[in-house]
Amino acid sequence: MTQVNFNLNGKVAIVTGAGRGIGRAIAEGLAQAGADVVLTARTEAEVLEAANEIHNATGRRTLGITCDVTDKNSIDSVVHQVLDIFGNIDILVNNAGANVRHTAFELSEDEWDLVVDTNFKSVFLMSQAVGKHMVERQSGRIVNIASAASELTLSFSSAYGPSKAAVVHLTRQLANEWAKFGVTVNAISPWFIRTALNAKALDNPDFKTLIEQRTPMGRFGRLEEMIAPVLFFCSESSGYVTGQNLFVDGGVTHNGV
């Protein structure tokens, strides 16, 4: 009998922006599925604590490394360290992101660069560095965390949505280039997922009501609801799926009038 297989035993994964929030939840989910996990973030204390706690909770090998995902030299250093320690990289989850809640006339050039470099440039640089190794091995899974804002416009943030739309298109581009080498590239686009970072904004009564009314399910997403979609794209069961963008959005991108 054919069985669904989400087991990641023997796999090595890198998750960017994994010190907290969605990235940390994904890293823990991958470890629970059997993968050894490398967590990267800019804040050393945060990423080391997350790696240690996930190791203690799951028993899997973990490694916390500081990394500036907008800097090629920093990325190359991380990739070399991971290959030296673990020997291979099977999974890359590009999760690191940033947002500046300004409209077009309010947004400075430096703020635009911050959002676009963190959300989009980083995905290209990380995928390029890790993808080269995966192509050589003829095997690999890359998952890019985009956003429902890749499909919808946000009245309060002019850089975030365009940067995430670029991630979705890059996902398709790399999927097309690397499919023949056994490397799949897919995206996941969440709507509002409650994290410590956005809790203050989501607890604003007016904003909370606006989002809940706009979302067919009438609520924000939960961190654990991001894990299964990532596991699917990282597993052997999704071997014939590439270039896709899965919305984890409570139905908001298909909400009618």
Side-chain angles (χ1 to χ4, degrees):
M1 178 181 293
T2 302
Q3 294 183 339
V4 174
N5 180 15
F6 284 1
N7 190 308
L8 300 179
N9 285 339
K11 304 296 185 181
V12 177
I14 297 177
V15 183
T16 69
R20 57 185 171 178
I22 291 174
R24 178 167 173 160
I26 289 170
E28 186 164 0
L30 292 170
Q32 289 171 342
D36 295 330
V37 184
V38 178
L39 298 81
T40 79
R42 288 192 178 189
T43 306
E44 182 177 27
E46 195 172 66
V47 76
L48 291 177
E49 179 183 11
N52 185 57
E53 290 183 355
I54 291 172
H55 166 72
N56 291 337
T58 66
R60 304 308 306 174
R61 290 192 298 168
T62 61
L63 177 65
I65 308 179
T66 57
C67 179
D68 178 356
V69 292
T70 68
D71 181 77
K72 186 177 187 303
N73 290 331
S74 183
I75 289 170
D76 287 344
S77 176
V78 168
V79 172
H80 290 151
Q81 288 182 66
V82 175
L83 292 177
D84 285 344
I85 295 171
F86 294 93
N88 59 278
I89 303 168
D90 303 285
I91 295 164
L92 169 64
V93 180
N94 286 306
N95 168 75
N99 190 15
V100 176
R101 295 175 182 272
H102 285 168
T103 59
F105 289 139
E106 300 167 334
L107 196 68
S108 71
E109 183 178 359
D110 286 344
E111 289 170 335
W112 170 271
D113 288 344
L114 170 67
V115 174
V116 172
D117 285 356
T118 306
N119 293 354
F120 178 48
K121 178 183 176 181
S122 70
V123 174
F124 174 74
L125 292 177
M126 283 295 304
S127 298
Q128 184 184 53
V130 175
K132 187 177 297 184
H133 166 73
M134 291 178 171
V135 165
E136 289 174 354
R137 295 182 66 231
Q138 301 281 292
S139 177
R141 299 281 191 269
I142 297 176
V143 181
N144 299 324
I145 305 304
S147 170
S150 65
E151 183 81 8
L152 304 172
T153 57
L154 300 177
S155 60
F156 51 83
S157 183
S158 293
Y160 186 78
S163 71
K164 291 298 189 177
V167 169
V168 172
H169 193 83
L170 179 64
T171 297
R172 299 188 187 107
Q173 180 66 37
L174 297 182
N176 183 53
E177 291 185 22
W178 296 344
K180 59 180 175 289
F181 300 111
V183 178
T184 66
V185 188
N186 291 287
I188 295 172
S189 285
W191 187 224
F192 284 95
I193 305 291
R194 179 179 292 279
T195 68
L197 191 63
N198 65 21
K200 183 177 179 180
L202 298 187
D203 287 338
N204 177 290
D206 293 337
F207 189 69
K208 180 175 183 290
T209 299
L210 173 67
I211 299 304
E212 289 175 344
Q213 289 178 344
R214 177 68 191 273
T215 307
M217 286 190 177
R219 64 172 176 86
F220 306 130
R222 296 185 288 267
L223 285 172
E224 60 268 23
E225 291 172 319
M226 287 293 294
I227 295 172
V230 172
L231 294 182
F232 169 67
F233 282 138
C234 292
S235 72
E236 294 301 319
S237 294
S238 66
Y240 200 55
V241 180
T242 195
Q244 301 304 304
N245 180 27
L246 174 62
F247 288 97
V248 180
D249 66 352
V252 71
T253 53
H254 300 294
N255 192 9
V257 176

